[in-house]
Structure formats: structure tokens, C-alpha cells
Amino acid sequence: MEISRREFTKIGCRVIIGAAAGTAVIESLVTNGSAAGESPKGEYDWNEHYWGFVVDTKKCIGCGRCANACKLENKVPFDEPVYRTWVERYRVLRGGEVKIDSPNGSIDGFTDDIPAEDIKKAFYVPKICNHCDNPPCVQVCPVGATYETKDGVVLVDYDYCIGCRYCIQGCPYGARYFNTEKRTADKCTWCYHRITKGLLPACVQACPVGARKFGDLKDPDSAVNKILDEERINVLKPDLGTKPKVYYVGLDREVR
Amino acid sequence: MMENLIWGYVYPNEAEIQWSILIVLYPYITGLVAGAFIASSLYHVFGKKEIKPVARFALLTALSFLLVATMPLLTHLGRPERGIEIMFTPHVTSAMSGFGYIYSFYLIVVVLEIWLSFREDIVKNALNSRGWKELLYSALALFSYDISEKALHDDEKLAKRLAIIGIPSAAFLHGYVGFIFGGIKANPWWSTPLMPLIFLMSAIVSGIALLILLYIIAMKLRKHAIDHKCLHSLAHYLWIFLILDVTLEMLEIISMKYESLEEIEIINRLLSDKIATTFYGVQLTMGIFIPFVLLLLVGMIKNRETLKMIMISISSVFVLIGVFAMRWNVVIGGQEISKSLSGTLTYVPVFFSKEGVLPAIVILTIPFIILIVVTYILPPWKDMEEEPERNPDK
Ligand code: SF4
Ligand code: SF4
């Protein structure tokens, strides 16, 4: 009797743990099997590309067309405070104070609410998901719904995300938001639906001054490599070790 | 309206606070579980006889709270129907992915532990009752009725071993909750390796305080004398863990201020503006300092049992409120500073909404209802009411 009871407990534990672990292994095999290796359909081969993005802050005029184009292209709701890309304005005042703003993500442009003579220097900084090479958002996702593609783009699987929002907490750049319609996390995809067809991301296309450049880091002649080879560049919050793939020309120390 | 809730510059996507009061509740509840369990193991593992009256009651308390621990999380998920994927396809680099497994493992440990320590009562009930009660208790006994001296002795040994596993898993269950926050490098208010330890200590503190209160209330309701030895012993442990808790919490703040990294300005603003009241007022003064002094006095005063009981009760209530404030200051405080380190925002809790105050209150009430039900099925009272007079306090 005594033995049987103990055995029962032991076996019970094993069955429960075993069953749970078993399913997990099978599931992960199945999902990995379908996601890895193969590339999205069509001619496009994701093993041949590795995308990168350059922002030239010295060129940006803060018109906000990029942010507008992004919302249109990606059906990001205009009436909610959610953005896949936005432009920040930095104004260093004569007194040394720094004023930063980005009203409605810059979609409607900026207004001059400080007299020009009070401003020492001013500049715009476009922001976007950095598609980090060491992305903390991917690290913290408990179900692997956020992942990095072979061609270096960080995406969210909307059919898999459980909506815990841990990734939103984990991104140091505020690049993610909660999609209230899908009830999942959401963010910039570098217009993956476009770049895999040979088109440019909508924001890059919309920029009238060429402050945003997009291209293949694997291609030595690409638009981004041309700049990376010549300019002095920096990334946002390099100390966090996220290895961003959005490179900035003329980044000021005030920008975080 | 939103404009004046924001100071300085916050990233446009940060306008909305993502983790609401429900996520404050989650570490609060798992903390109570871990604390109550560790209190019970003071008897089960470390053989502290004074704790015996509440040892089994503590286990039932832990179970009642453990059963609702998943509720705030599931309610919060955007896609609760997919929540189970955490079990099927855990992404192991995520601190959160362990939740399903750690939780289930711990649930098994607690249930087994309860079963073993109540088995004698269950079997006796099964043998002495008729009808549905007989069926219920026989089922609970798993139709094994051996309560010979030897069998009970073996039970006890097994229970002790389980409790030994239980302590690290309780510590893990809650320490890991601390790591969910402590491991986020994006957030300077969260990112510290001390976080799991701070969570653990405050968990133990809150668990013991809860146990003290429930014990006093239960005895009052049952019109039974309180075992002051047990009460004082619990108060003593509460005091010790309070010291550990405050040491760690201070260490974190002091080293942040002393090292004064880039983020210090925004952290200072958080502490002096956003969460000044809940941090200095509720978490530290009400939740730690006042109970610390009261419990110190309890240790010094002779006789005056009623007064001491009142002081211990007040301390426990304050500790429970203080630990809630601590969870609040971490979860909400951390989201009230912008990751741009240039601005702050304000969380305004709503009452009626899926993530509002009302569901939080409901979720926090359920464990007490569960506790009433389980103590009805498995009454732990006889340990508490055993010969309290025979051992009058000097
Ligand atoms: S910028 Fe944020 S969302 Fe984009 S890859 Fe990096 S961590 Fe992830
Ligand atoms: S919200 Fe979705 S993508 Fe983000 S961490 Fe949770 S499950 Fe992963």
C-alpha cells in the first residue's frame, strides 16, 4: 500500500512533466521546421540580402512625410498615438536647455513655438525600429512570436503573438506599440512586403531630401554602404549592446 | 488632457502605459504565495515547533493564492486564447517563458505537500463519514487508507523532502518574477541584478504578514485563544526579513544615486515627483519603518499580550500595504519614466475596464473565498486550537 502510493506520486509527476515537455519538443520542431531555411515565396531569396538603413540627420527638414507615408502604407491607425516611424525635433536654447518634441509623430509637421532668436541650434532626428542585430525584443518574447529573418529584419508573427507586451517593455527605443485591432504587438517591418519585391520602404520613398537611405549591406555598391564607407556614423544607445542596423550621420549627443 | 500627464519628451509610442494594475497584482500575489510557503517550511523543514499551529494553514493559504496567480496575467494578455503557447512553444531566452513550467511545478509541489500533511485527516474522514462526504474524502485519499504509524512517519519524511524542494522552487517562482523586470536593460529603473532578491525578500515579508493576519482573524472568528508563542515567533521572522528587505532596497537606491549614470536625472525625478508618496511614504515609512519599530517594541515589552497583538496586527497590515506599494513603484514607476530619459508620464488607473481597478479587486478577493472553501474541506484548525492554555505565556 505504502509503496503503491509513493509510486503513484512519482509516476504522476513524471507523466505530467513528460507530457508537457513532449508536446513542447514536437511543437518547436514543427514550427522551426517551417520557419527556418526556406525563404518567402517567389524569386526573392533571403539568404542573398542583409538589409540596413541610414539616416542623415543633417538632411532632414522635419516635414513628416515619411511618418505620414508609413501610416498610409501600413494601415497604422491615424487616430491612435502609435507610430512605426516618427521624427523628433531637438532645439538647444540659448540658456543651454534642450527642448525635444514630436507632436503626433511629426505627421502634421512642426510649428515654431519658440522665437528663433532664443534658439542656439536645432535639428531633426527621424526614428524607426533599428532592426537590431542583437534585438532585446526578440530575446524577451516568451513564445518566439517576434523573430529575426535571415535578411536581418525583425518581425512580429501576428498569428502567434499572445499580446503580453513584454517586447514593448524590452525595446529601448520605443519602436513598438500595441495594435488594438489585432490585439498583438506591432512595429516597423522596413516594409517587408515592399523590399522583398525590390521596392524601397515607403518612408524612404517619401522623403523629399533623401535623409533616409535603405539598402543591402551585402551589396558593396548599395546606397547604404556608400555612406557607411565614407561618413562617420553612430547608432542609438550603442552602450546597450543591441547592435542597431539603423545608422545615423551627424548624430548629436542629446539624442537618445 | 493627456498633455499635462506628460512632462518633458516621451517617445510617441510611450503615451500609453502598457502594464496596468493587473501586472502589479501578479508579483504581489506570487509573492504572498512564496512567503506563505516559506513560512510553513519554517516548521516543515527547519523544525521550528512554534510555527506548527499555522504550518498547515500556511500551505492552504499558499494554495489559495497560487490558484489565482495566473488570472491577472491571462486577463491582461491581448490574446488570452493563445496564452497556452507559453507551455507548448516556450522561447527559452525569455524570462517570461519559464512561467508556465515553474508555476505548474510549484503547484504540484504545494498540492502534494498539502496532501501529505492532511492525509491522516482525510483518511479518518473517509472512514468516518457516509454518502458524498465519504466519496469526496476517499477520492482525496486516493483510496489508500493506510495510516499506520509507519505510513504516517513515511508521509512526514516525504513531506519534509518535498518542502526542501519547495523552498528553492518558491524562491525561484518569485525570484524569477523579479528577473522579468530586472533583466530589462531598456528600463533603468528595472534593470538591476538585485531585483530578484528584493522581490524575494518582500515576498517573504508579505507572506508572513498575511499569515499573521489570517491567523488572528481565524482565531477571533472561531472564538479561540491565540497562541502567543506562535504569533511572536512569526512577528520575529517578519522583523528579520524586514531588515533584509530594507537593506537590499536601500542598497539599490544608494548605488544608483552614488554611481549617477546617465539615467540618474530621470530616476531622481521619478523618486521626487512621480512616486515620492508611494515610495518614501508608503513603501519605506509605512511598509518598513513603522512595522520595524513596532515589532522591535513587541520584542521588548513584557506581558500586555493584547497590546502586542494589536501592534503585530498593525505592523502586518502596514507591511501588506507597503509591499503592494513596492510592486506598484516597480511596475508602474518603471513605466512612468520615458526610455528617452527625457520625460515622464502618468498612469491613471481606471475603475471599470478589463484592466481596471475593479477586476483587480475581484481577483484579489477570490483567494479568500478559495481559502474558506479549502479550510472547510481540510480544516487546519486542530493544530491551532491544540491546548493553548497548557502553555500560558510567562
Ligand atoms: S529597435 Fe526595438 S523593436 Fe526594433 S529590433 Fe531593436 S529592440 Fe526590437
Ligand atoms: S507581445 Fe507578442 S511579440 Fe511581444 S513579447 Fe509578447 S508574445 Fe512576443
Side-chain angles (χ1 to χ4, degrees):
Chain A
M1 189 57 91
E2 162 60 21
I3 291 169
S4 74
R5 197 181 70 242
R6 265 207 207 166
E7 285 295 81
F8 178 85
T9 339
K10 270 198 212 154
I11 294 171
C13 287
R14 268 189 220 146
V15 168
I16 295 167
I17 295 171
T23 350
V25 169
I26 294 168
E27 283 268 343
S28 68
L29 281 181
V30 173
T31 30
N32 281 348
S34 62
E38 250 171 84
S39 128
K41 350 174 198 5
E43 258 87 286
Y44 183 78
D45 182 359
W46 68 4
N47 293 307
E48 283 173 9
H49 307 275
Y50 203 71
W51 301 109
F53 201 107
V54 172
V55 175
D56 190 338
T57 58
K58 291 187 283 188
K59 285 188 180 154
C60 177
I61 53 169
C63 65
R65 286 199 206 176
C66 48
N68 194 39
C70 172
K71 281 214 172 186
L72 285 172
E73 175 72 27
N74 296 297
K75 301 187 184 64
V76 182
F78 273 89
D79 50 355
E80 284 176 45
V82 294
Y83 308 87
R84 292 184 176 201
T85 185
W86 65 97
V87 179
E88 295 169 354
R89 172 171 64 175
Y90 289 73
R91 287 177 293 181
V92 184
L93 306 189
R94 294 249 170 257
E97 197 194 340
V98 186
K99 286 255 180 223
I100 314 168
D101 62 352
S102 182
N104 193 19
S106 79
I107 289 177
D108 318 317
F110 293 86
T111 43
D112 294 331
D113 48 354
I114 301 177
E117 57 272 21
D118 294 349
I119 301 171
K120 201 154 54 178
K121 70 170 174 183
F123 49 87
Y124 298 102
V125 180
K127 292 273 185 88
I128 190 169
C129 166
N130 290 286
H131 296 269
C132 307
D133 240 352
N134 185 18
C137 56
V138 172
Q139 180 187 38
V140 301
C141 176
V143 295
T146 246
Y147 59 99
E148 208 180 341
T149 59
K150 284 261 159 95
D151 41 359
V153 181
V154 175
L155 297 176
V156 181
D157 183 339
Y158 306 112
D159 296 329
Y160 213 78
C161 169
I162 61 175
C164 68
R165 292 167 240 193
Y166 199 17
C167 53
I168 305 181
Q169 306 288 1
C171 169
Y173 306 99
R176 290 179 165 252
Y177 60 90
F178 190 70
N179 183 323
T180 42
E181 194 192 316
K182 295 194 182 99
R183 286 180 284 130
T184 65
D186 209 342
K187 66 181 264 301
C188 154
T189 63
W190 271 352
C191 286
Y192 203 65
H193 58 290
R194 292 171 58 93
I195 59 173
T196 48
K197 290 195 190 87
L199 300 169
L200 285 172
C203 59
V204 176
Q205 182 126 342
C207 180
V209 293
R212 294 173 176 245
K213 291 272 187 294
F214 182 80
D216 194 343
L217 296 171
K218 279 189 177 171
D219 170 8
D221 300 321
S222 69
V224 288
N225 272 331
K226 277 213 189 96
I227 301 173
L228 294 184
D229 289 347
E230 283 169 14
E231 297 285 342
R232 297 169 195 204
I233 50 140
N234 205 348
V235 293
L236 295 170
K237 301 188 182 180
D239 51 318
L240 291 183
T242 52
K243 303 211 174 92
K245 289 200 295 287
V246 175
Y247 306 95
Y248 282 85
V249 178
L251 197 63
D252 192 86
R253 71 185 163 123
E254 296 297 345
V255 182
R256 289 191 206 103
Chain B
M1 189 202 82
M2 212 148 81
E3 292 306 313
N4 46 32
L5 298 177
I6 292 176
W7 170 86
Y9 175 66
V10 308
Y11 292 134
N13 283 331
E14 285 178 324
E16 228 147 303
I17 298 254
Q18 299 295 336
W19 283 357
S20 62
I21 186 168
L22 290 182
I23 305 297
V24 177
L25 219 52
Y26 158 63
Y28 190 58
I29 291 177
T30 55
L32 293 172
V33 175
F37 187 88
I38 287 173
S40 99
S41 31
L42 286 174
Y43 167 70
H44 285 121
V45 179
F46 301 107
K48 302 279 175 220
K49 286 267 168 3
E50 323 81 83
I51 307 286
K52 189 172 180 216
V54 292
R56 295 202 299 177
F57 184 54
L59 285 176
L60 298 180
T61 309
L63 178 69
S64 312
F65 279 85
L66 192 57
L67 288 175
V68 299
T70 51
M71 270 183 212
L73 288 187
L74 281 176
T75 321
H76 166 80
L77 287 186
R79 290 284 190 167
E81 73 280 11
R82 296 180 188 158
I84 194 71
E85 298 293 355
I86 269 194
M87 299 290 279
F88 292 152
T89 57
H91 182 236
V92 289
T93 60
S94 166
M96 202 183 272
S97 72
F99 174 75
Y101 286 95
I102 300 170
Y103 175 85
S104 319
F105 178 76
Y106 190 61
L107 187 63
I108 294 169
V109 170
V110 172
V111 168
L112 275 180
E113 183 79 23
I114 290 178
W115 187 68
L116 287 170
S117 44
F118 278 92
R119 208 179 64 84
E120 187 185 354
D121 301 3
I122 297 175
V123 170
K124 281 186 186 153
N125 267 327
L127 297 177
N128 297 334
S129 43
R130 288 280 155 270
W132 67 269
K133 266 194 163 180
E134 183 188 4
L135 201 67
L136 171 74
Y137 286 108
S138 304
L140 282 177
L142 302 176
F143 304 99
S144 123
Y145 304 100
D146 181 4
I147 46 169
S148 64
E149 192 97 336
K150 185 178 167 311
L152 288 181
H153 184 70
D154 286 341
D155 276 0
E156 207 167 296
K157 270 205 312 208
L158 194 59
K160 181 168 175 180
R161 268 187 226 152
L162 253 177
I164 293 178
I165 306 175
I167 296 176
S169 35
F172 199 63
L173 175 76
H174 202 67
Y176 130 91
V177 177
F179 189 74
I180 289 189
F181 298 96
I184 293 300
K185 63 184 170 193
N187 192 319
W189 181 237
W190 289 349
S191 171
T192 154
L194 285 180
M195 201 57 103
L197 283 174
I198 295 178
F199 264 60
L200 193 56
M201 288 308 140
S202 49
I204 297 177
V205 165
S206 67
I208 298 177
L210 176 71
L211 196 57
I212 289 177
L213 282 181
L214 286 176
Y215 174 55
I216 294 177
I217 294 171
M219 289 300 95
K220 292 285 167 206
L221 286 178
R222 298 178 60 83
K223 303 207 175 14
H224 212 281
I226 282 167
D227 178 346
H228 290 288
K229 238 179 149 182
C230 172
L231 189 62
H232 291 169
S233 165
L234 284 172
H236 179 69
Y237 287 111
L238 181 58
W239 190 72
I240 292 178
F241 283 108
L242 265 181
I243 297 177
L244 291 173
D245 186 26
V246 73
T247 310
L248 289 168
E249 284 178 17
M250 289 292 78
L251 184 60
E252 191 208 333
I253 296 293
I254 290 170
S255 62
M256 261 188 198
K257 294 215 175 209
Y258 191 81
E259 290 185 2
S260 285
L261 297 176
E262 193 186 12
E263 59 264 19
I264 193 64
E265 278 171 41
I266 200 71
I267 298 234
N268 281 337
R269 184 165 264 275
L270 176 73
L271 286 173
S272 63
D273 177 26
K274 309 291 334 173
I275 58 170
T277 334
T278 47
F279 186 77
Y280 294 113
V282 188
Q283 180 179 339
L284 292 183
T285 311
M286 182 179 182
I288 295 181
F289 182 70
I290 297 177
F292 174 83
V293 174
L294 284 180
L295 294 174
L296 192 69
L297 290 176
V298 167
M300 291 178 352
I301 298 174
K302 300 257 175 299
N303 301 316
R304 322 257 335 236
E305 294 306 342
T306 320
L307 175 70
K308 286 202 262 181
M309 191 193 72
I310 293 172
M311 283 161 74
I312 295 176
S313 316
I314 294 176
S315 305
S316 304
V317 173
F318 278 17
V319 163
L320 281 175
I321 297 173
V323 172
F324 186 83
M326 181 264 173
R327 310 292 190 232
W328 177 279
N329 292 332
V330 171
V331 177
I332 302 298
Q335 296 177 88
E336 287 190 330
I337 53 173
S338 165
K339 292 177 199 149
S340 70
L341 308 182
S342 312
T344 58
L345 46 164
T346 310
Y347 170 63
V348 187
V350 264
F351 195 80
F352 299 101
S353 95
K354 188 176 136 243
E355 301 208 15
V357 179
L358 185 66
I361 293 174
V362 171
I363 289 175
L364 209 48
T365 317
I366 299 174
F368 296 100
I369 299 170
I370 300 181
L371 187 62
I372 292 172
V373 176
V374 283
T375 51
Y376 181 75
I377 302 173
L378 301 173
W381 313 123
K382 85 169 189 249
D383 322 348
M384 302 186 180
E385 296 171 0
E386 247 168 25
E387 47 198 278
E389 303 309 326
R390 207 207 57 184
N391 206 357
D393 240 287
K394 311 126 262 176

